Amino acid sequence: MLKGIFPPITTPFVNDEIAFDKLAENISKWNRTKLAGYVVMGSNGESTFLTREEKLKLIENVKRNAGKDKILIAGTGSDSIKETISLTNDAAEIGADYALILTPSFFKGKMDSNSFIKYFTEVADKIVIPLIIYNVPKFTGVNIEAAPVSILSGHKNIIGLKNSSENVAHLSEIINVSTDDFVTLVGTASVLFTGLCAGAAGGVLALANIAPDMCVKVYDLFNEAKLKEARKLQAKLIPVNKAVTGKYGVAGLKAAMDVLGYFGGDPRAPLNKLNNNELEDLKTILSEAELL
Amino acid sequence: MLKGIFPPITTPFVNDEIAFDKLAENISKWNRTKLAGYVVMGSNGESTFLTREEKLKLIENVKRNAGKDKILIAGTGSDSIKETISLTNDAAEIGADYALILTPSFFKGKMDSNSFIKYFTEVADKIVIPLIIYNVPKFTGVNIEAAPVSILSGHKNIIGLKNSSENVAHLSEIINVSTDDFVTLVGTASVLFTGLCAGAAGGVLALANIAPDMCVKVYDLFNEAKLKEARKLQAKLIPVNKAVTGKYGVAGLKAAMDVLGYFGGDPRAPLNKLNNNELEDLKTILSEAELL
Amino acid sequence: MLKGIFPPITTPFVNDEIAFDKLAENISKWNRTKLAGYVVMGSNGESTFLTREEKLKLIENVKRNAGKDKILIAGTGSDSIKETISLTNDAAEIGADYALILTPSFFKGKMDSNSFIKYFTEVADKIVIPLIIYNVPKFTGVNIEAAPVSILSGHKNIIGLKNSSENVAHLSEIINVSTDDFVTLVGTASVLFTGLCAGAAGGVLALANIAPDMCVKVYDLFNEAKLKEARKLQAKLIPVNKAVTGKYGVAGLKAAMDVLGYFGGDPRAPLNKLNNNELEDLKTILSEAELL
Amino acid sequence: MLKGIFPPITTPFVNDEIAFDKLAENISKWNRTKLAGYVVMGSNGESTFLTREEKLKLIENVKRNAGKDKILIAGTGSDSIKETISLTNDAAEIGADYALILTPSFFKGKMDSNSFIKYFTEVADKIVIPLIIYNVPKFTGVNIEAAPVSILSGHKNIIGLKNSSENVAHLSEIINVSTDDFVTLVGTASVLFTGLCAGAAGGVLALANIAPDMCVKVYDLFNEAKLKEARKLQAKLIPVNKAVTGKYGVAGLKAAMDVLGYFGGDPRAPLNKLNNNELEDLKTILSEAELL
């Protein structure tokens, strides 16, 4: 059963092309941590800017470099059911263990519970690896309700959900109504501790790219029932997480990686990289959290 | 120091006028519980539909009927600083212990941190009872950030904040950056347990109008470090809370009161009361939560 | 029948109190224009920051100073039906010709067509001057649909609607479905020309505080069927309007008044006044539009 | 120079596969109208549900069946610059005359003016057919401001913009600040008439799938300076347009096609088809507009 902390790893670019050597270096560092595995082609992986060919090469490279004990989750969803099935099965063939599949979202007003049930059932029926639902209202503009998740949790190939909103009430409701073996992962470090309190099994955290040990430590402290210590450490994570998700986004996360000994590099266009003022602000935030 | 569970009590109407006898009956029931006190003229009190004269009569009546040990918090805020000060001080004179003051919100796009600091400082300087900031984005369309709350928490007459969003990350951040004696209350039962985990001192919960004992029990279990039991009881509260806040709102809360032995009555126009189908649905939800 | 251009006049403050002498000076200037009348206590009048007592004094003063030919429209609506009726009738007694009544909005998710019909019918039944519905989603967070407006347009005391969104499709739909004698006014200068094309009878325009002649000229050119000239002049208004509504709001409008020979002054707290950079930017915009 | 009325043609499916024979039948009917051309793979073409292979086959088929005088515009944009260039050039090779390119949108909060300028410039530099910017906030959650459009309008390969919001003020502003030969098309029939008044050159209208003659008639009446007649006919279009865009969306548009002698068929999953009540409602709306 899936649990623990996963970073949605960034995709390094040099001259606008994926830098596989830099990727390998990053992974070799993460391999030495207690991270449970990697999410490749999550939102922070700039999946939206990659061609199909690039996506498959990326998965292949991550698989090759990941430690044997690390689980590999690939973000392979898009609005097209056909393409989602096709890409997921190609990803599975080259080593993806799980598929993280975005809620369909283009026709926002029309994506009701029935649409989500239809979409995820059709996909889950035809893919050869287990499906994790990916709910991220900030980017998709849609939110999957607890009721359809309850139904979908009964499908034998739909094993969990990553919830990337900060709405812990929604997370609690999903946990309450889904089957016992359904796994819920928080999708942002700001609610790691409270999400675990609510019953989440772990998290897919952008922050885990730059602070894997601190994220794992919150998780471990919680599981050792050291709640005060867990909450105290969580408090440190919040301002950094706010900077590398809300405020500066992927560009901020990559800049922080560069500052902290990983390879970050520039995000791909049309994302902007940080300017100097933003970079200085980011460094201050990292210092205050004792990461720098 | 403020702590525990407070219901934002509904305002009963008969023939569109406040029914003070029904109010007294409700309060006499709540007096027998372990509720810490009452919020009068919160959102669920339909404060927005009351005239100034009605508001003062309402406070007077609640004060007269409340148990001696019950704290009285009055919702006296509006966009006008002058009127807020004036109404709050009138409320204090007739017995309000604390003032719960809404973030100003009419000019949504212009209400920045500076506006909030200016507003709450001017009000707090001139009112004779302690001020609790009331953040409720669902109704105001604005959200006060943690940074201005941090500054305002240093004002000797601003003692706390009620946060009515389900964003527990925001609550955590506020708790982390505010002064040690600043009190944070969750504003909806859906995040009671996780809010307490994050460090909240209690809650102002619509649900406490109809399920005071269950709400207090979650609070007590948490404080006795019985986390599993607290979370289990919390799970029961979530569907009911969703019905009487999000789905059916004040009309639903009042209908549930009627069903459960309190006086609810109709909401004031322009709010609609529930139709028969909605009422049946609500009863089913109450039954499933073992409240009915 | 109502038509032409109305400024929602700003409320001048000196030392945080209404400066009635400054108000009189502004009005004496506007009296010399072809403005059809004045809206007092519109959004731009900072009505939301005034006490009841201030509101009545304000209406009285505007009435006393307005030219005999100028129509006086007073913004007297709030969520409370009782208070709206009471304030409107007090306003009527001291000279208001029409009441501009906001859609109720506190319980956003619950304000459906039925709520609006109930609210406006109850109010219109009991006020002694004609009612104009005021739809301003930017500030209220709600939008009244065409269907309830169609029904309300049949009420003999509901004579029109001011629509302050830039959605001209919505305006067109309202015009199509309402009764023939129902008056529709655009609520922002950005859609003055296209709104007139769609069939609007005029406009309540913040911009008319500082550029009454240009606004009236667009209206006149349209009515003389000089469409090209109207559209050309309209093009000049758009950047200024954007600055004094969206970008800088009431503070910007007041600053522009100061620059252009009216008395603007500071907005009331919690609104911020412009800083120096913003003021310079505003002056540039006014110059480019040949207003300065 | 681009002008006139274009339908964003629907993509017919039978047993979840593109039905090219049905497509040919629809096109042969549209060929007999005064439509200026076709938009293939617009939002209403359910482009989001198609694989790359299906997209190219679709363009090829539309090209083969379109009348010689009909312009072919293909919707080939996605967040990935690489994939957008590649798909557009493949589309050009098989006959697309123009590319309609969506604003990038996944990282909503980060898509500022600079991002849009970078994205569209990079794409326009490398594609072999002219680029039309496609702004559709309803589906993308982002809105391109007039300022970047002004800059982009100076690029020799960026020839226009389709604006699918109902905000005619935004359209006016874009027209005012863009170069003289920059073409602006309205993106929804609800603002066809007022958009033309504002200076638009035509429209890409879902409604033109089912009512090509009425849409063309509004356009012709406007150009003959018969404004009253144009506005009167426009009034008829509004309720139908509301049903086949906002209310029922693509499923409604396809159902209306079936009712009116075209082949509509079911939308692809996860979109739902209309239920019987919705279909009856739709028929009533079509009757009232004298289309049925």
Side-chain angles (χ1 to χ4, degrees):
Chain A
M1 205 165 146
L2 220 51
K3 61 181 180 178
I5 304 299
F6 298 80
I9 64 172
T10 59
T11 303
F13 298 104
V14 170
N15 296 328
D16 203 38
E17 296 297 325
I18 303 180
F20 292 108
D21 54 337
K22 304 298 184 185
L23 179 68
E25 285 171 33
N26 286 341
I27 294 176
S28 76
K29 282 179 191 145
W30 290 321
N31 278 340
R32 280 172 244 136
T33 66
K34 287 170 67 187
L35 290 169
Y38 307 120
V39 171
V40 59
M41 286 153 39
S43 301
N44 283 285
E46 296 172 76
S47 179
T48 195
F49 299 145
L50 303 177
T51 64
R52 195 182 203 280
E53 197 188 357
E54 288 175 328
K55 286 177 184 180
L56 291 173
K57 272 193 203 156
L58 190 60
I59 298 170
E60 207 181 3
N61 268 272
V62 175
K63 184 68 184 178
R64 191 184 318 133
N65 290 288
K68 296 296 164 229
D69 58 321
K70 303 299 188 196
I71 291 166
L72 182 55
I73 303 174
T76 51
S78 68
D79 265 31
S80 163
I81 291 176
K82 275 198 168 188
E83 173 59 19
T84 298
I85 293 167
S86 154
L87 180 63
T88 305
N89 286 339
D90 287 356
E93 205 160 299
I94 54 180
D97 299 311
Y98 294 86
L100 181 65
I101 308 276
L102 275 170
T103 53
S105 67
F106 188 78
F107 295 106
K108 306 197 186 321
K110 301 298 173 203
M111 291 298 103
D112 59 13
S113 292
N114 192 39
S115 299
F116 291 134
I117 293 170
K118 210 186 314 185
Y119 175 91
F120 285 111
T121 303
E122 284 199 27
V123 171
D125 280 349
K126 294 193 183 148
I127 61 175
V128 298
I129 49 175
L131 187 159
I132 303 166
I133 297 168
Y134 182 13
N135 188 46
V136 57
K138 182 169 81 162
F139 293 138
T140 61
V142 302
N143 187 40
I144 188 168
E145 293 293 321
V149 175
S150 170
I151 292 168
L152 290 166
S153 74
H155 191 293
K156 69 176 193 305
N157 203 29
I158 301 178
I159 60 103
L161 176 141
K162 174 193 174 187
N163 188 50
S164 290
S165 88
E166 296 183 321
N167 187 327
V168 178
H170 188 50
L171 187 84
S172 296
E173 201 186 349
I174 287 170
I175 292 169
N176 294 340
V177 301
S178 56
T179 53
D180 287 347
D181 56 354
F182 191 74
V183 171
T184 309
L185 302 167
V186 301
T188 172
S190 57
V191 292
L192 174 56
F193 172 68
T194 48
L196 292 170
C197 290
V204 177
L205 311 174
L207 195 64
N209 277 283
I210 53 170
D213 294 334
M214 281 173 84
C215 292
V216 169
K217 187 79 183 166
V218 170
Y219 176 78
D220 286 345
L221 287 170
F222 175 81
N223 284 310
E224 294 157 14
K226 294 178 178 164
L227 298 195
K228 275 196 182 163
E229 290 93 328
R231 194 168 89 199
K232 209 175 153 189
L233 186 56
Q234 167 75 37
K236 269 195 191 166
L237 299 181
I238 286 181
V240 189
N241 186 64
K242 201 174 179 178
V244 298
T245 57
K247 197 172 177 187
Y248 297 130
V250 175
L253 180 58
K254 287 187 150 184
M257 289 178 76
D258 282 327
V259 166
L260 296 174
Y262 297 88
F263 179 86
D266 292 342
R268 218 172 211 186
L271 277 180
N272 303 307
K273 61 176 181 173
L274 298 199
N275 64 32
N276 286 340
N277 288 341
E278 291 169 333
L279 187 58
E280 287 312 307
D281 178 41
L282 181 66
K283 283 181 187 169
T284 306
I285 293 166
L286 293 172
S287 291
E288 284 169 3
E290 294 166 48
L291 281 165
L292 184 59
Chain B
M1 206 163 147
L2 221 52
K3 61 181 180 178
I5 305 298
F6 298 80
I9 64 174
T10 60
T11 304
F13 298 104
V14 169
N15 297 327
D16 203 38
E17 296 297 325
I18 303 180
F20 293 108
D21 53 337
K22 303 300 185 185
L23 179 67
E25 285 170 33
N26 286 341
I27 294 176
S28 77
K29 282 179 191 147
W30 292 319
N31 278 340
R32 280 173 244 136
T33 66
K34 288 170 68 187
L35 291 168
Y38 307 120
V39 172
V40 60
M41 285 152 40
S43 301
N44 284 284
E46 295 173 75
S47 179
T48 194
F49 300 144
L50 304 177
T51 65
R52 195 182 203 282
E53 198 188 357
E54 288 175 328
K55 287 177 183 180
L56 292 172
K57 272 193 203 157
L58 190 60
I59 298 170
E60 208 182 2
N61 269 270
V62 175
K63 184 69 184 179
R64 192 184 318 132
N65 290 288
K68 296 297 164 229
D69 58 321
K70 303 299 188 196
I71 291 165
L72 183 54
I73 303 174
T76 52
S78 67
D79 264 32
S80 163
I81 291 175
K82 275 199 167 186
E83 175 58 20
T84 299
I85 293 167
S86 155
L87 180 62
T88 305
N89 286 338
D90 286 356
E93 205 160 298
I94 54 179
D97 300 310
Y98 294 86
L100 181 65
I101 309 277
L102 274 171
T103 52
S105 66
F106 188 78
F107 294 107
K108 306 197 188 318
K110 301 297 173 203
M111 291 297 103
D112 59 13
S113 293
N114 193 39
S115 298
F116 290 134
I117 292 170
K118 211 186 312 185
Y119 175 92
F120 285 111
T121 303
E122 284 197 28
V123 170
D125 281 348
K126 293 194 182 145
I127 61 175
V128 299
I129 49 175
L131 187 158
I132 303 166
I133 298 167
Y134 182 13
N135 188 46
V136 58
K138 180 169 82 161
F139 293 138
T140 61
V142 302
N143 186 42
I144 188 167
E145 294 292 320
V149 175
S150 171
I151 292 168
L152 291 166
S153 74
H155 191 293
K156 69 177 194 306
N157 204 29
I158 300 178
I159 60 101
L161 176 141
K162 173 192 174 189
N163 188 49
S164 290
S165 86
E166 296 183 321
N167 186 328
V168 178
H170 188 50
L171 187 85
S172 295
E173 200 186 350
I174 287 170
I175 291 169
N176 293 342
V177 300
S178 57
T179 54
D180 286 346
D181 57 354
F182 192 75
V183 171
T184 308
L185 302 167
V186 301
T188 173
S190 57
V191 291
L192 175 55
F193 171 69
T194 48
L196 293 170
C197 290
V204 177
L205 312 174
L207 195 65
N209 276 283
I210 53 169
D213 294 333
M214 279 173 84
C215 292
V216 169
K217 187 77 184 168
V218 170
Y219 176 78
D220 286 347
L221 287 170
F222 175 83
N223 284 309
E224 294 158 13
K226 294 177 178 164
L227 298 196
K228 275 195 182 163
E229 290 93 328
R231 194 168 88 199
K232 208 174 151 190
L233 187 55
Q234 168 75 37
K236 269 195 191 165
L237 298 180
I238 286 181
V240 189
N241 186 65
K242 200 174 180 179
V244 298
T245 56
K247 196 172 178 188
Y248 297 129
V250 176
L253 179 59
K254 288 186 149 185
M257 289 178 75
D258 281 328
V259 166
L260 297 174
Y262 297 88
F263 179 85
D266 293 342
R268 220 174 210 185
L271 277 180
N272 303 308
K273 63 174 180 173
L274 299 199
N275 63 33
N276 285 339
N277 287 341
E278 292 169 333
L279 188 57
E280 287 312 306
D281 177 42
L282 181 67
K283 282 181 187 168
T284 306
I285 292 166
L286 293 171
S287 291
E288 284 170 2
E290 293 166 49
L291 281 164
L292 183 60
Chain C
M1 206 163 145
L2 221 52
K3 61 181 180 177
I5 304 299
F6 299 79
I9 65 173
T10 60
T11 304
F13 298 103
V14 170
N15 296 329
D16 203 37
E17 296 297 324
I18 303 180
F20 292 107
D21 53 338
K22 303 299 185 186
L23 178 68
E25 286 172 32
N26 286 341
I27 294 176
S28 77
K29 281 179 192 147
W30 291 320
N31 279 339
R32 280 172 243 137
T33 66
K34 289 169 67 188
L35 291 168
Y38 307 120
V39 172
V40 58
M41 285 152 41
S43 301
N44 284 284
E46 295 172 76
S47 180
T48 194
F49 300 144
L50 303 177
T51 65
R52 196 182 202 280
E53 198 187 357
E54 289 175 328
K55 287 177 185 182
L56 291 172
K57 272 194 202 156
L58 189 61
I59 298 170
E60 207 180 3
N61 268 271
V62 175
K63 184 68 184 178
R64 191 184 316 130
N65 290 289
K68 296 298 166 227
D69 58 320
K70 303 298 188 198
I71 291 166
L72 183 53
I73 304 174
T76 52
S78 67
D79 264 33
S80 163
I81 291 175
K82 276 198 167 188
E83 175 58 19
T84 298
I85 293 166
S86 154
L87 180 62
T88 304
N89 286 338
D90 287 355
E93 204 160 299
I94 54 179
D97 300 310
Y98 294 86
L100 181 65
I101 308 277
L102 275 170
T103 52
S105 66
F106 188 78
F107 295 108
K108 304 195 189 320
K110 301 297 174 203
M111 291 297 103
D112 60 12
S113 293
N114 192 39
S115 298
F116 290 134
I117 292 169
K118 210 185 315 185
Y119 176 91
F120 285 110
T121 303
E122 285 198 28
V123 170
D125 281 349
K126 294 194 181 144
I127 62 174
V128 298
I129 49 175
L131 187 158
I132 303 166
I133 298 167
Y134 182 13
N135 189 45
V136 57
K138 181 170 81 161
F139 293 138
T140 61
V142 302
N143 186 43
I144 188 167
E145 293 292 322
V149 176
S150 171
I151 291 169
L152 290 166
S153 74
H155 190 292
K156 67 174 196 306
N157 204 30
I158 301 178
I159 60 101
L161 176 142
K162 173 193 174 187
N163 188 50
S164 290
S165 87
E166 296 183 321
N167 186 327
V168 177
H170 188 49
L171 187 85
S172 296
E173 201 186 349
I174 287 170
I175 292 168
N176 292 342
V177 300
S178 56
T179 54
D180 286 346
D181 57 353
F182 191 75
V183 171
T184 308
L185 302 167
V186 300
T188 173
S190 57
V191 292
L192 174 55
F193 171 69
T194 48
L196 292 170
C197 290
V204 177
L205 312 174
L207 195 65
N209 277 283
I210 52 168
D213 294 333
M214 280 174 84
C215 293
V216 170
K217 187 78 184 166
V218 170
Y219 176 78
D220 286 346
L221 286 170
F222 175 82
N223 284 310
E224 294 158 15
K226 295 178 179 162
L227 297 195
K228 275 195 182 163
E229 290 93 327
R231 194 167 88 199
K232 208 174 151 189
L233 187 56
Q234 167 74 36
K236 268 195 192 164
L237 298 181
I238 286 182
V240 189
N241 186 65
K242 200 173 179 179
V244 298
T245 57
K247 196 171 178 188
Y248 296 130
V250 175
L253 180 59
K254 289 186 148 185
M257 290 179 74
D258 282 328
V259 167
L260 296 174
Y262 297 89
F263 179 86
D266 292 342
R268 218 173 210 186
L271 277 181
N272 304 308
K273 62 175 179 174
L274 298 198
N275 64 34
N276 285 340
N277 287 341
E278 292 170 332
L279 187 57
E280 287 312 306
D281 177 42
L282 181 66
K283 283 182 186 168
T284 305
I285 292 166
L286 292 171
S287 292
E288 283 169 2
E290 293 166 47
L291 282 164
L292 183 60
Chain D
M1 206 164 146
L2 221 51
K3 61 181 179 177
I5 305 299
F6 298 79
I9 64 173
T10 60
T11 304
F13 298 103
V14 170
N15 296 328
D16 204 37
E17 296 297 324
I18 303 180
F20 292 108
D21 55 336
K22 303 299 184 185
L23 179 67
E25 286 171 33
N26 286 341
I27 294 176
S28 77
K29 283 180 190 145
W30 291 320
N31 278 340
R32 282 172 243 136
T33 67
K34 287 171 68 189
L35 290 169
Y38 307 120
V39 171
V40 59
M41 286 152 39
S43 301
N44 285 284
E46 296 173 75
S47 178
T48 194
F49 299 145
L50 303 178
T51 64
R52 195 182 203 281
E53 197 188 357
E54 288 176 327
K55 287 178 185 181
L56 292 173
K57 272 194 204 158
L58 189 61
I59 297 170
E60 206 181 4
N61 268 272
V62 175
K63 184 67 184 178
R64 191 184 317 132
N65 289 289
K68 296 297 166 228
D69 59 320
K70 303 299 188 196
I71 291 166
L72 182 55
I73 303 174
T76 51
S78 67
D79 265 32
S80 163
I81 291 176
K82 276 199 168 187
E83 174 58 20
T84 298
I85 293 168
S86 154
L87 180 63
T88 304
N89 287 338
D90 286 355
E93 204 159 299
I94 54 178
D97 299 310
Y98 294 87
L100 181 65
I101 308 276
L102 275 170
T103 52
S105 67
F106 188 78
F107 294 107
K108 304 195 187 322
K110 301 297 173 202
M111 292 297 103
D112 60 12
S113 293
N114 192 39
S115 299
F116 290 135
I117 292 171
K118 211 185 315 185
Y119 175 90
F120 284 110
T121 302
E122 285 198 27
V123 170
D125 281 349
K126 295 194 182 145
I127 61 175
V128 298
I129 50 175
L131 187 159
I132 303 166
I133 298 167
Y134 182 13
N135 189 44
V136 56
K138 182 170 80 162
F139 293 137
T140 61
V142 303
N143 186 41
I144 188 166
E145 293 293 321
V149 175
S150 172
I151 292 168
L152 290 167
S153 74
H155 190 293
K156 68 176 195 306
N157 203 30
I158 300 178
I159 60 101
L161 176 142
K162 174 193 174 187
N163 189 48
S164 290
S165 88
E166 296 183 321
N167 187 327
V168 178
H170 188 49
L171 187 84
S172 296
E173 201 185 349
I174 286 169
I175 292 168
N176 293 342
V177 301
S178 56
T179 54
D180 286 346
D181 57 354
F182 191 74
V183 171
T184 309
L185 301 167
V186 301
T188 173
S190 57
V191 293
L192 174 56
F193 171 69
T194 48
L196 293 169
C197 290
V204 177
L205 311 174
L207 196 64
N209 277 283
I210 53 170
D213 293 333
M214 280 174 83
C215 292
V216 169
K217 187 78 184 164
V218 171
Y219 176 77
D220 286 345
L221 286 170
F222 175 82
N223 284 310
E224 294 158 15
K226 295 178 179 164
L227 298 194
K228 275 195 183 164
E229 291 93 327
R231 193 168 89 200
K232 210 175 151 189
L233 186 56
Q234 167 75 37
K236 269 195 193 165
L237 299 181
I238 286 182
V240 189
N241 187 65
K242 201 174 179 179
V244 297
T245 56
K247 199 173 176 187
Y248 297 130
V250 175
L253 180 59
K254 288 187 149 184
M257 289 178 75
D258 282 328
V259 167
L260 297 173
Y262 298 88
F263 179 85
D266 293 342
R268 218 174 210 185
L271 277 181
N272 304 308
K273 62 176 180 174
L274 298 198
N275 63 34
N276 286 340
N277 288 340
E278 292 169 333
L279 187 59
E280 287 313 307
D281 178 41
L282 181 66
K283 283 181 186 169
T284 306
I285 292 167
L286 293 171
S287 292
E288 283 169 4
E290 294 166 47
L291 281 165
L292 183 60

